[in-house]
Each structure stands twice: as C-alpha cells, then as structure tokens.
Amino acid sequence: MIRIEKERIDEFIRALMETWSVYAPARDGKNTLFAPVEDPAGIDHGIFNTDKSPKEIFFPHSEVLFEFEGGEIKKVERDARPIAVWGLRGCDARSLRLLDKVFGSAWQKPDNDMFEDPYWKEKYDDSIIFGTACNEPRSTCFCNWFGAGPHDGAGMDVKVVDTGEAFILDPVSEKGKKYIGSLKGWAEATKKDVTKMKAAAKEADKAMGEVFGMDGIQEKMADLFLKPVWNDIGAKCVNCGACAFICSTCHCFDVQDEGKKGKKGKRIRIWDTCMFPIFTMEASGHNPRDMSKDRLRQRFMHKFSYFINNYDEHLCTGCGRCVIVCPVNLDIREVVREVMACEA
Ligand code: SF4
Ligand code: SF4
C-alpha cells in the first residue's frame, strides 16, 4: 500500500495521464458525472457516487460502431490510450464487473462461445479502476443487501481510502498490484494509516441501513409473475425511463443506421430501455408488454430473476440512483420488500 499526501494528488494523477486516458468525478451544472480529466486540479475528490453512472465511459449513451460508404465498412478511430478511472465507488466498480459478464470476458469460459462485444472489450479490458471507499454512505445506499459494503474492493484494481490528510492506495487485483509495485517516489502506508482505514471502514459499515435478506427472490419473482401485486406497483410508474438510464447496470440498447441507406452513413448504438412502450413494439403493431405494469415487472424480473439465471448474480448493486431520480418515488427497496412479503 502506498500513501499520497493530499497536496501531492495532482502530481499522481498527472503521472497517470502520461499513459492513460483518465476519467474522474466532475460537475456539469447541477449534475455530477465522470468526465475526461484535462487538468487534475479540476477533479472534485469530494463528490460521492456521481448522479450519472460511470457505465458511460465504457458503454456510451450514443456510440458510432462503424461508418459505411459504397459497401465498404470503415472502423472508427478512437483514443488508443487505455482508460484509467479515478474515484469510482464500490457499487459502480461492481456494476462494471456485471456489465463485463454481458459484454466482455468475465463470464466467458473455455468451453463456450458466448458473444463478446468488441466495443466494450477494447475499452474495459485494458482499463485500470481506482475505486474510492465510501466513508459516509447515503441513506439511499444499500450495497450491503448484495454482500458488499462501503469499503468493499470487488471490481476495483486499486482501492483508495481517504484518511483525511492522505489517500491510501491499496491494490486489489493482479493488475493493481503490478501497477502499484511499479511506482517510485511514494511512501508506504504507515501503521497509523492502516488503523485509520480500519476505523473508517467500521464507521461506514455502521452508517449503512439494515441488510434485507434477498434469499429466494429469484423463485419468488417467478412465482409472482401473474399476480396482482404488479398492478399496484405498476400503477405508480409513469414509464419515464429515468431509472434505467441512470442505472449503473441497465444495459439495453438499440442499433440504428444514419445516412443514405446502403450508400454512406454510420451505424450507431444508443441506450434504450424496457420501460419505454415501443421497446417491444412489433411491426404488426402488437406489443407484448403494452401495459405499464408489464414493463415495470420486466425490469424487476431482469434484475432479480433472469440475470441470476444467466449469470448467478443480481443485476443491481444498491447504488441508490434510481431511488433518488424516480419522479413518483418508486423505491426499488420497497418494491423488493413488497414482492418478498407477497404470498405466491
Ligand atoms: S437498480 Fe437502482 S440501485 Fe440497483 S444498480 Fe440500478 S440504479 Fe442502482
Ligand atoms: S424512474 Fe420511476 S416512474 Fe420513471 S420509469 Fe423508473 S420506476 Fe417508472
């Protein structure tokens, strides 16, 4: 573990920028998000988990996949430097690992030929994630429902702990250990630092709400598929899609071609969501999910049933963004509690 006094953090980030394209928390008007770093002095290290999730770094809201002209496909040139993310919270680091199960290498096994998304892999595989432990979790945080905690390092390459006067960099993955091992000119963390880190982790754990047991939710969701509970929950939802777009794990997308059909143009991938009525609209006009409750149920089924079937994990990390953003105060934690309390 190394220690970086706060007055030297810009120096550390500047060195990182020599090799990596660095993203860090920033303010954009009233919103907070991850932005490319041009000047380390502009990083706001005090931002908690950003309003907009960092999935955009690897899975942009709108991404040109390729261009075409006269039957020729042209690859889009991108920044060739690998990506370093600074200041990612534990829930978001785990979200990226979940998305890597869908798009990348995390769920690939030697004996299967599951699809790998080259646009995700070219960014995520070479990246390095510096995650920041949460010393003061919010009331909307519930990462502890999923076996994690505010100082959890899963999904990070290096865990960063703020001890007040310094940042302590604690390598987690092999990549993180290699990187930290290669650094010169930084002091080792002291015993006092380690004591402070442990105390901060303990305080942060205490600040979290009670853990809600999720055992059996997958079966429960399946049993309740046709039950009226979804009518009541779905009646509140206005299908604005904000929860899905802000979510660090939702990953539905649409693919569209722009330009002269078959002649010159570009193929674009853009975010989409199962909360929108036209998401499942068929050419015939039939919509298998034409009711609001059907769409809301789909989002919950995906997170707490289908994803577990496919990838052995919940598709939620308890970041709390959807709780904050929903205009009708539809709280995912309340929905889970209601579903779990319901008789099948
Ligand atoms: S469903 Fe809500 S709490 Fe869970 S990861 Fe998405 S935004 Fe965060
Ligand atoms: S943010 Fe709330 S109202 Fe909007 S789609 Fe999500 S659950 Fe429905």
Side-chain angles (χ1 to χ4, degrees):
M1 278 192 281
I2 61 166
R3 110 190 281 278
I4 300 176
E5 292 84 15
K6 286 200 170 163
E7 56 271 22
R8 289 187 68 196
I9 191 60
D10 289 1
E11 187 187 331
F12 177 84
I13 302 283
R14 204 165 285 115
L16 204 59
M17 288 167 69
E18 284 172 16
T19 317
W20 310 76
S21 177
V22 181
Y23 287 75
R27 290 183 192 277
D28 179 14
K30 284 185 183 164
N31 293 318
T32 55
L33 73 176
F34 277 79
V37 176
E38 282 161 19
D39 178 358
I43 298 177
D44 188 336
H45 298 278
I47 290 175
F48 193 63
N49 64 343
T50 48
D51 299 328
K52 290 176 89 180
S53 98
K55 73 179 173 189
E56 284 196 80
I57 300 170
F58 301 99
F59 172 47
H61 180 261
S62 170
E63 179 172 29
V64 178
L65 303 180
F66 57 81
E67 294 171 340
F68 54 86
E69 185 167 11
E72 293 283 316
I73 302 285
K74 283 197 279 182
K75 203 169 180 287
V76 177
E77 293 303 324
R78 302 178 198 274
D79 185 346
R81 287 178 308 157
I83 291 171
V85 186
W86 175 268
L88 197 79
R89 300 294 168 160
C91 51
D92 289 339
R94 286 186 301 112
S95 295
L96 294 179
R97 286 300 290 163
L98 290 175
L99 293 179
D100 195 44
K101 286 192 164 186
V102 179
F103 293 119
S105 309
W107 200 249
Q108 305 300 325
K109 296 172 183 165
D111 59 350
N112 74 28
D113 57 356
M114 285 176 75
F115 178 73
E116 289 185 328
D117 183 297
Y119 305 100
W120 167 274
K121 281 179 68 66
E122 71 183 1
K123 296 189 269 297
Y124 184 73
D125 282 2
D126 294 336
S127 68
I128 187 163
I129 308 290
F130 293 84
T132 302
C134 302
N135 288 342
E136 292 174 358
R138 283 179 177 154
S139 62
T140 46
C141 296
F142 58 110
C143 61
N144 55 348
W145 286 26
F146 304 99
H151 273 238
D152 195 51
M156 301 176 188
D157 293 305
V158 179
K159 182 170 79 175
V160 181
V161 182
D162 183 342
T163 60
E165 70 280 3
F167 293 109
I168 309 302
L169 273 57
D170 182 7
V172 179
S173 70
E174 284 308 313
K175 192 191 285 182
K177 285 175 191 161
K178 201 170 157 197
Y179 182 75
I180 295 296
S182 72
L183 296 177
K184 291 187 174 61
W186 302 100
E188 285 290 318
T190 62
K191 274 189 186 166
K192 200 172 155 197
D193 290 327
V194 175
T195 306
K196 278 189 171 186
M197 286 166 73
K198 285 183 182 161
K202 209 168 161 187
E203 282 304 305
D205 277 341
K206 269 203 281 186
M208 293 294 295
E210 253 180 56
V211 175
F212 182 77
M214 304 282 282
D215 286 353
I217 192 166
Q218 183 186 10
E219 295 76 22
K220 191 80 173 189
M221 297 288 291
D223 290 346
L224 294 177
F225 191 84
L226 294 172
K227 299 289 179 186
V229 63
W230 295 111
N231 299 345
D232 301 337
I233 300 168
K236 296 179 202 156
C237 174
V238 294
N239 287 131
C240 66
C243 53
F245 275 38
I246 209 85
C247 177
S248 54
T249 58
C250 279
H251 53 271
C252 292
F253 61 84
D254 190 14
V255 174
Q256 297 180 359
D257 285 352
E258 277 187 3
K260 284 192 179 168
K261 202 174 176 191
K263 293 200 166 141
K264 184 177 179 184
K266 49 193 172 185
R267 180 156 296 177
I268 300 171
R269 167 158 72 185
I270 45 176
W271 291 356
D272 203 346
T273 169
C274 56
M275 303 304 276
F276 290 158
I278 60 166
F279 185 73
T280 43
M281 178 73 83
E282 295 167 7
S284 66
H286 170 65
N287 191 345
R289 285 189 220 130
D290 65 344
M291 307 274 284
S292 174
K293 70 168 175 67
D294 300 332
R295 298 189 283 277
L296 188 92
R297 179 183 62 193
Q298 166 61 23
R299 185 159 186 268
F300 280 85
M301 290 297 292
H302 189 196
K303 292 198 173 292
F304 300 117
S305 183
Y306 308 144
F307 201 81
I308 306 173
N309 282 341
N310 291 335
Y311 300 107
D312 286 350
E313 287 192 74
H314 305 100
L315 186 62
C316 174
T317 58
C319 74
R321 287 186 178 89
C322 59
V323 177
I324 296 167
V325 83
C326 179
V328 296
N329 295 327
L330 214 155
D331 186 326
I332 187 170
R333 297 167 298 183
E334 294 310 317
V335 175
V336 168
R337 283 194 184 102
E338 202 170 330
V339 163
M340 290 298 271
C342 202
E343 291 295 326

